[in-house]
Amino acid sequence: MNKSRLRKYRLLFKLITTLVGIVLLSIIGIYTISFILGPPPLMNEENTIYYNNSNEVIGEERSAEDRYWVDLNDMSPHIINATLIVEDQHFKEHNGFDYKRIIGAILQNVTSGTLKEGASTLTQQLARNLYLSHEKTWDRKIKEAFYTVRLEMYYSKGEILEGYLNSIYYGHGSYGIEAASNYFFDKSSKDLDVAEAAMLAGIPKGPTYYSPLNDKENAEQRQEQILQLMLTNNMISPDEYQNAKTTTLAYSKTKKEDNDSIGPYFQDAVLKEAAKILELDTEEIRSGGFEIYTTLDSEMQIGLEDSVSKTIDQASEMQIGALAMDPKTGAIKAMVGGRDYSESPFNRAVNARRMAGSTFKPFLYYAALENGYTPSTMLMSKPTAFELEDGEVYRPSNFNDYYAYEPISLAQALALSDNIYAVKTNLYLTPKKLVNTARRFGLSGELPEVPSLALGSASVSLEEMVTGYGMIANGGHEINSYTIERIINRDGKTIYEKDNNLGDLVLDPKQTFILADLMTGVFDRQLDGYASVTGAPIANQLSRVYAGKSGSTKSDSWMIGFSPQLVAGVWGGYDDNRVMEVVAESGYPKKVWASFMEKAHEGLPEKSFEVPNGVVGVAIDPQTGNLATPYCKVSRVMYFEKGSEPKQYCTDHFPHDMKPKEEDSNDGPFKRIFDSLFGT
């Protein structure tokens, strides 16, 4: 009998020893593995904020919820005390686990056969919120234990508490005390009073059940319990308790929505650019807690949006794309990607590729200037059939079949957008040379080496075209469009800053200036000929000198232009490429452009394009391309590379009895007389 009892005691002792050994080994294993794994990341997702070029907030990126990170020292002490007293009174004393509560919860769970009862410390809750799901399984609890040990092993109590208060869910999409404080009371967490803190501290136990916006009675009962605990533990005085208990809380009724932010199409472009710069996906940018300082000029953005909404008939289904840029840097100042972002977030200013029409011609004429053309180069304007190398015949036509039926100058051909002149020039230079020139202006898409490329038969983006025109405006320096000046991470460290040094000089400054001056002729009625200059419909709206070019196809309408301070472009058309049959619609881009440019330049000093060395300006008769005389009805100062300016004077407008003989008109003594009378 005694031997049997002794055997049982020995067996029980071995069992207990084995269990104790298993527990000890498990604890040692948990701590060893936790040490090897190192500290887990303490920060959770946080909203990314966008700023304009005046450092004002223009919007923020969210994932599915609102998150903000604030330091513990920047939180109201009331929310810290209220949270500790209701969630984990022994937080500063334990090592991550409250063993008495754990044992009690385990016994109750074993008895009931469920995992309903919990005894989670604040550290355990943080581990679950940051790294795990909320399912009640043994596997999740084991993982939770590992994370809890790692948190306590590598972080101070203050760091753990800060992480908890910045990640706990308060309902209504608000994670962290700063987001919750903003949502419920429209104030920062550092400004929470006792009553507000006690109310918010009670929500995480059951965000739906204890939210005062969902169930005010339950929320106020829990607030009262927390206030009582704070009073009992000397966290507040009796007077503070009474004041908080009788305070009627005022909850925020209006919430800022995403669509209140400025420039939604622009912000989309910023998001994509940031993802490319930091080599992260867009969701990581959205919730990465970055501060992104952008190039956006809010006044210009509002002005551009107003110009679009006030110009285009609301009944029209036509879409729009518009973009404004600093020509010296490529910084995008304003962007509209469509009529309504909420209906269509597709960005037509950046992502759409449409036929450029005559807005492509400045690239052609830059190539022409580099290859011997001058503003006075004359070519015949009349219906022309071009026989190509493959035997095909190409018959371009002018708008409305208007022609001069006589030679016209390059200056007038550009101002009137003469297609015959453009195709002749392209074939003379060769389409390959035009393609190579367009590449120098930053056009990267497919550019077919065909005669019609001179008329803009290639599909391009508005962003590319505005960038190319920006190079003309800045004197020939390379630029690349961008939206981000600086990025700061959630630790306050600048991790990216744009280098705004002037780009390489890739175009000839003299020919670039001459081209820019020629493009001012689009708005100069002195260059009217067999038709009005293409900028005539908006010329009266312009209060200063701009350079530009319009363009159109059956389904596209463009207007791009610039001053020395700003370059902007507007495209209009239908997403499905249908023909624009309403006459007014084809004129919308010009009107939007003129309205925007005038508003954008209000208050800016009027600047002219700087004449580079080696360029001379002379008065020219637009009709003949020769030097103007006082007898010419119209004259315009045009610029030439020194030595290439015309030497002959216009004699077409002389009185009949003063006209010289053809063989003497511009030679010998007659020329000397002209020079003495009209020379400068």
Side-chain angles (χ1 to χ4, degrees):
M1 186 71 177
N2 290 333
K3 288 182 179 181
S4 176
R5 186 177 300 168
L6 183 61
R7 212 179 285 117
K8 288 180 179 179
Y9 286 145
R10 285 176 178 173
L11 184 62
L12 182 60
F13 177 76
K14 287 181 179 180
L15 180 61
I16 293 172
T17 303
T18 301
L19 289 173
V20 171
I22 292 172
V23 171
L24 289 173
L25 287 173
S26 297
I27 293 173
I28 293 172
I30 288 173
Y31 277 85
T32 301
I33 294 172
S34 296
F35 178 78
I36 293 172
L37 291 174
L42 193 57
M43 287 188 175
N44 209 324
E45 296 179 340
E46 186 179 352
N47 289 359
T48 285
I49 310 296
Y50 294 145
Y51 299 85
N52 66 9
N53 62 357
S54 298
N55 299 335
E56 300 166 333
V57 175
I58 57 172
E60 64 185 277
E61 285 289 357
R62 298 175 172 87
S63 50
E65 57 276 327
D66 287 342
R67 301 174 187 266
Y68 306 86
W69 189 279
V70 291
D71 293 339
L72 200 63
N73 293 333
D74 292 329
M75 299 178 194
S76 165
H78 301 307
I79 190 61
I80 295 172
N81 290 334
T83 299
L84 288 174
I85 203 64
V86 71
E87 293 292 346
D88 193 348
Q89 296 184 25
H90 305 291
F91 170 70
K92 296 180 180 179
E93 302 157 16
H94 62 61
N95 65 348
F97 304 96
D98 189 331
Y99 295 108
K100 290 183 179 179
R101 290 174 64 193
I102 288 174
I103 291 171
I106 289 174
L107 291 175
Q108 195 159 350
N109 286 333
V110 169
T111 302
S112 65
T114 66
L115 291 174
K116 290 183 179 180
E117 289 298 318
S120 296
T121 63
L122 188 148
T123 312
Q124 288 174 278
Q125 291 182 55
L126 177 60
R128 183 166 61 248
N129 290 333
L130 288 180
Y131 319 116
L132 304 168
S133 68
H134 288 258
E135 59 181 351
K136 294 187 176 182
T137 63
W138 289 109
D139 179 62
R140 194 270 292 164
K141 285 189 172 290
I142 292 171
K143 291 179 180 178
E144 181 184 298
F146 271 104
Y147 279 113
T148 299
V149 170
R150 291 171 67 192
L151 287 169
E152 289 281 347
M153 183 180 292
Y154 286 100
Y155 295 106
S156 68
K157 288 292 185 179
E159 290 172 323
I160 293 172
L161 179 58
E162 183 177 296
Y164 175 86
L165 284 166
N166 277 294
S167 62
I168 197 69
Y169 185 50
Y170 289 87
H172 305 282
S174 298
Y175 282 75
I177 187 58
E178 188 71 9
S181 182
N182 282 325
Y183 186 87
F184 286 95
F185 300 114
D186 199 20
K187 63 169 60 175
S188 171
S189 60
K190 67 182 178 182
D191 299 322
L192 292 171
D193 60 27
V194 175
E196 293 165 340
M199 177 60 76
L200 292 182
I203 295 175
K205 182 177 176 64
T208 300
Y209 191 68
Y210 291 116
S211 166
L213 304 183
N214 293 338
D215 194 322
K216 189 175 180 181
E217 185 178 350
N218 283 340
E220 290 178 347
Q221 287 177 0
R222 185 157 173 79
Q223 179 201 35
E224 162 62 22
Q225 293 170 358
I226 294 171
L227 288 171
Q228 186 63 55
L229 285 170
M230 294 177 76
L231 176 64
T232 303
N233 288 272
N234 298 317
M235 291 177 171
I236 56 175
S237 67
D239 287 343
E240 287 177 312
Y241 169 76
Q242 286 298 330
N243 287 337
K245 188 178 178 180
T246 57
T247 295
T248 301
L249 297 179
Y251 300 104
S252 178
K253 294 181 180 180
T254 58
K255 303 298 171 190
K256 292 181 179 179
E257 301 294 338
D258 284 351
N259 56 14
D260 289 336
S261 61
I262 297 174
Y265 291 101
F266 177 86
Q267 292 188 36
D268 276 359
V270 172
L271 176 63
K272 292 177 181 177
E273 187 172 324
K276 184 177 181 180
I277 290 170
L278 300 180
E279 297 182 346
L280 300 172
D281 63 43
T282 53
E283 283 307 310
E284 289 176 296
I285 298 296
R286 290 180 189 277
S287 57
F290 299 103
E291 294 183 355
I292 301 180
Y293 291 82
T294 76
T295 59
L296 187 80
D297 184 306
S298 292
E299 289 189 12
M300 286 192 188
Q301 180 66 36
I302 293 170
L304 183 57
E305 293 175 358
D306 283 348
S307 294
V308 170
S309 64
K310 292 177 180 178
T311 300
I312 301 177
D313 190 326
Q314 294 301 307
S316 172
E317 296 179 4
M318 173 181 161
Q319 275 296 349
I320 204 83
L323 188 146
M325 179 187 298
D326 182 337
K328 289 184 173 59
T329 64
I332 295 175
K333 298 297 185 181
M335 178 189 291
V336 169
R339 297 275 298 281
D340 189 332
Y341 181 85
S342 62
E343 290 186 2
S344 173
F346 178 69
N347 192 334
R348 295 157 186 86
V350 174
N351 299 320
R353 303 192 70 84
R354 306 290 294 229
M355 290 178 64
S358 291
T359 56
F360 204 85
K361 288 176 181 175
F363 308 140
L364 168 71
Y365 292 135
Y366 174 82
L369 291 169
E370 275 200 326
N371 285 273
Y373 277 55
T374 74
S376 289
T377 298
M378 308 294 287
L379 293 177
M380 179 64 72
S381 168
K382 67 178 183 179
T384 305
F386 296 92
E387 186 173 349
L388 308 181
E389 291 182 359
D390 59 5
E392 290 191 14
V393 176
Y394 177 50
R395 291 184 173 86
S397 61
N398 281 347
F399 180 70
N400 283 339
D401 284 326
Y402 291 162
Y403 303 91
Y405 291 97
E406 63 181 2
I408 61 173
S409 66
L410 170 56
Q412 203 166 45
L414 179 56
L416 305 182
S417 202
D418 190 280
N419 289 339
I420 305 302
Y421 194 109
V423 173
K424 283 183 178 180
T425 300
N426 188 26
L427 291 175
Y428 167 73
L429 298 173
T430 73
K432 181 172 184 170
K433 187 165 287 186
L434 175 54
V435 169
N436 291 337
T437 301
R439 299 293 185 210
R440 293 166 64 189
F441 283 90
L443 273 67
S444 59
E446 182 179 351
L447 301 176
E449 295 179 9
V450 294
S452 63
L453 182 60
L455 309 183
S457 59
S459 294
V460 296
S461 74
L462 177 64
E463 183 180 25
E464 284 181 323
M465 294 296 289
V466 171
T467 302
Y469 275 51
M471 293 175 63
I472 306 172
N474 72 27
H477 291 270
E478 183 180 26
I479 54 173
N480 293 296
S481 61
Y482 71 97
T483 64
I484 298 175
E485 296 284 4
R486 186 169 78 258
I487 302 177
I488 297 174
N489 67 11
R490 61 181 11 147
D491 296 322
K493 180 181 178 182
T494 299
I495 57 176
Y496 170 79
E497 193 153 10
K498 175 69 176 175
D499 179 4
N500 280 328
N501 292 331
L502 194 63
D504 294 337
L505 187 64
V506 296
L507 304 175
D508 184 299
K510 291 178 285 190
Q511 307 304 347
T512 303
F513 168 79
I514 292 169
L515 176 62
D517 182 69
L518 284 170
M519 293 171 69
T520 65
V522 167
F523 308 108
D524 187 354
R525 299 303 298 268
Q526 292 184 107
L527 290 175
D528 284 351
Y530 65 82
S532 298
V533 293
T534 55
I538 56 173
N540 291 337
Q541 300 176 42
L542 306 180
S543 61
R544 62 178 69 200
V545 176
Y546 300 101
K549 186 72 187 76
S550 60
S552 62
T553 70
K554 290 182 179 180
S555 55
D556 303 275
S557 182
W558 299 73
M559 181 64 218
I560 311 175
F562 53 88
S563 70
Q565 298 111 312
L566 188 69
V567 55
V570 183
W571 165 88
Y574 293 96
D575 287 338
D576 58 6
N577 282 291
R578 78 179 105 139
V579 174
M580 285 191 293
E581 296 179 342
V582 179
V583 175
E585 290 181 337
S586 62
Y588 286 151
K590 286 180 183 176
K591 292 180 178 179
V592 169
W593 182 88
S595 171
F596 166 73
M597 289 294 276
E598 282 294 289
K599 190 170 185 63
H601 283 81
E602 285 180 1
L604 294 179
E606 187 163 353
K607 289 187 176 181
S608 57
F609 299 103
E610 294 184 11
V611 183
N613 292 330
V615 171
V616 295
V618 293
I620 298 294
D621 170 57
Q623 184 177 340
T624 64
N626 289 329
L627 295 170
T629 72
Y631 296 102
C632 294
K633 296 179 181 178
V634 176
S635 70
R636 171 182 163 90
V637 174
M638 298 184 191
Y639 291 87
F640 299 79
E641 188 170 1
K642 192 171 184 179
S644 69
E645 67 272 20
K647 302 299 189 293
Q648 298 179 337
Y649 286 94
C650 170
T651 60
D652 287 13
H653 305 104
F654 266 42
H656 184 72
D657 58 353
M658 288 184 61
K659 287 187 179 182
K661 295 179 181 179
E662 186 174 343
E663 64 271 16
D664 295 329
S665 61
N666 289 286
D667 294 308
F670 212 100
K671 181 178 184 302
R672 287 194 294 272
I673 295 172
F674 269 40
D675 287 342
S676 65
L677 290 173
F678 310 125
T680 57

